[in-house]
Amino acid sequence: MAPNAPMSHGSADHPDGPPGWFADGVVYEIYPQSFADSNGDGIGDLRGVIDHLDHLAWLGVDVIWFNPCFASPFRDAGYDVEDYLAIAPRYGTNEDMMELVRAARERGMRVLLDLVAGHTSIEHPWFQASATDPGDDRYIWADRPGPGLVRSPGSRPGWYLRNFFDEQPALNFGYAHPDHREPWRQPADAPGPTANREALKEIIGFWLDKGVAGFRVDMAFSLVKDDDDLDATAALWREIRAWMRGAYPDAVLVPESDEAQTPGVGARGGFDADFALVIHREHSALFNNGGAGVLPWQGGAEPCYFDAHADPATGGRALVEFLRLWHARLDASGPHRLVVLPTSDHDFSRLACGGREGDELRAIFTFLLTWGSIPSIYYGDEIGMRYLPGLPDVEGSVWDPRFNRAGCRTPMQWDAEAPNAGFSSAEPERLYLPLDPRADRPAVAQQRADDASLLCFVRDLIALRRATPALRTTARTRVLAAGYPLVYLRGSDHLVVVNPRRDAVEVRVDGLDGRDASLLLGSGVVVAGSTVSAAGHAHAVLSLA
Ligand code: BGC
């Protein structure tokens, strides 16, 4: 599709598409251990979230997505599940989750949980049984060492296949190319894989019956092994999705997606959207001058999402590249053409990294909340919480030093004047992860009291988006200028101008036809005839007469 061709999405085109609360919603990601600690043990918990639901409603959030909060030994932040049907005691109880879901619904919000489908913890009873019983095939056991294979910790001889860290053994969903000479390469319809598919349905049904609205699926592409074209994995998800559609028609299922690993798993697996978690290429192309080293664990010197230090020498090419990647991702996302774009997430650096603040952050939020994607706000990004490079991990990289993610997982800063910034009443040294130590760390209470704050700006943007159908995800987007500044039309009469650069820029825009533009929100943009002038980091939503 040409960069300036209109994009259209969702439910209007595909009546069987995801419900409007998701397709046009604003998602908010809560990393449970760091959001709010209600019992003073230094770790966030569900009751802490319940206590802050009014704040999320004030912000205008529609959907809360939780990272895994199930029983776990926490060697990878709960992405190593020990019991899918029980909330981790550190976070509370199943009843707390049900109360949270109810309290969120009363405030117009829905809850998505994280389905870790491809692996469990080594502590899961399924794995414990499998590590002692050579006849058990819920996991993949080889009789010789090889890539990704880890020596058995139990009485069973052999090696198990890991899915991520060694402590995360891959559940057996079969191989795309079974081979009887290597009996662990079972077909996808063998008893072990069949039992695991049924188990996924049980887990999904268990939580949907409790009022949860759907799931983000962790590493959704990783299930069937050696499935290079993802045909078998997509078929598995289509089966689960079809079952869900019958049993829970209003629930949503969204895969973690990475353009390198999941070309089109969202579309072909029958998912509702792609959750573009690993979007460094798109992000970089738009705001990062095409830089590649944005992932802490890929060795970026100053890992940074949406790096606005765009090099004027690229002359707008980065923006064209962004649009190319975006359209490719949108096309691959499926019939509903829905992609979730996060501000950042629990795996990478935060939006506020590399000294970024103020209008630079406002420009990025303006883009994310008015682009034709589903925005997902990572807790704390809305106040400009900072990324802390090099902060030692308590999980994850302890097991594999290539991953260092603590810097984007520090406790939420609720009140600059309260102990521990209002996150916890524990002694500071008992906090599971330390707070941003800087004296000027941003906080919710102070920003709520200041109309000129980033937080109030984000709230105003969300409110404008809610009040204006043309600004929502499923309305049409037409890019009018694919250079700097980025200029696009939403619907027929809303214009958005975003300048990711710190230098002022001006562009002639065909398609404005001399229409009068009045500012709805933002600053630094002047529209005169067909000329759009944008100050450094200018960002504006305008209505066209
Ligand atoms: C999650 C990571 C996790 C990994 C293994 C990723 O998709 O976002 O946080 O470590 O999967 O489950």
Side-chain angles (χ1 to χ4, degrees), residues 1-5 281-290 314-328 371 479-487 500-501 507:
M1 186 186 280
N4 61 351
R281 283 187 60 205
E282 286 93 333
H283 272 185
S284 299
L286 181 56
F287 284 96
N288 188 26
N289 185 27
T314 60
R317 273 184 290 121
L319 213 37
V320 172
E321 175 64 359
F322 162 73
L323 290 170
R324 190 185 68 73
L325 291 167
W326 169 254
H327 282 292
W371 187 243
V479 174
L480 300 182
Y484 291 101
L486 173 61
V487 182
R501 293 182 169 173
V507 68

Side-chain angles (χ1 to χ4, degrees), residues 19-45:
W21 60 261
F22 180 71
D24 278 317
V26 172
V27 179
Y28 189 93
E29 177 186 351
I30 291 186
Y31 184 69
Q33 57 181 239
S34 293
F35 194 64
D37 170 18
S38 72
N39 62 1
D41 65 357
I43 303 186
D45 48 52

Side-chain angles (χ1 to χ4, degrees), residues 29 31 65 67-68 75-80 114 116-119 163-165 168 216-221 256-257 261 277-278 297 345-348 396 403 405 409:
E29 177 186 351
Y31 184 69
W65 160 43
N67 296 106
R75 298 196 181 142
D76 183 16
Y79 282 98
D80 46 332
D114 208 313
V116 189
H119 50 266
N163 216 31
F164 199 68
F165 294 130
Q168 292 160 313
R216 170 263 193 189
V217 182
D218 180 60
M219 292 177 65
F221 53 86
E256 172 186 13
S257 119
Q261 289 172 302
L277 226 83
V278 185
W297 31 280
D345 64 61
H346 61 287
D347 285 336
F348 307 110
F403 296 83
R405 300 177 285 191
R409 298 175 169 188

Side-chain angles (χ1 to χ4, degrees), residues 206-295:
F206 179 86
W207 290 108
L208 295 183
D209 284 340
K210 297 198 172 342
V212 164
F215 290 85
R216 170 263 193 189
V217 182
D218 180 60
M219 292 177 65
F221 53 86
S222 73
L223 272 54
V224 180
K225 300 304 177 195
D226 288 357
D227 188 20
D228 295 341
D229 54 12
L230 287 179
D231 275 354
T233 304
L236 181 160
W237 285 117
R238 278 198 306 278
E239 175 195 321
I240 291 183
R241 197 65 196 99
W243 161 79
M244 265 179 82
R245 199 161 286 119
Y248 304 96
D250 196 40
V252 300
L253 198 67
V254 191
E256 172 186 13
S257 119
D258 165 358
E259 111 271 344
Q261 289 172 302
T262 59
V265 77
R268 290 160 55 219
F271 287 93
D272 292 291
D274 259 355
F275 205 124
L277 226 83
V278 185
I279 54 165
H280 47 284
R281 283 187 60 205
E282 286 93 333
H283 272 185
S284 299
L286 181 56
F287 284 96
N288 188 26
N289 185 27
V294 291
L295 309 183

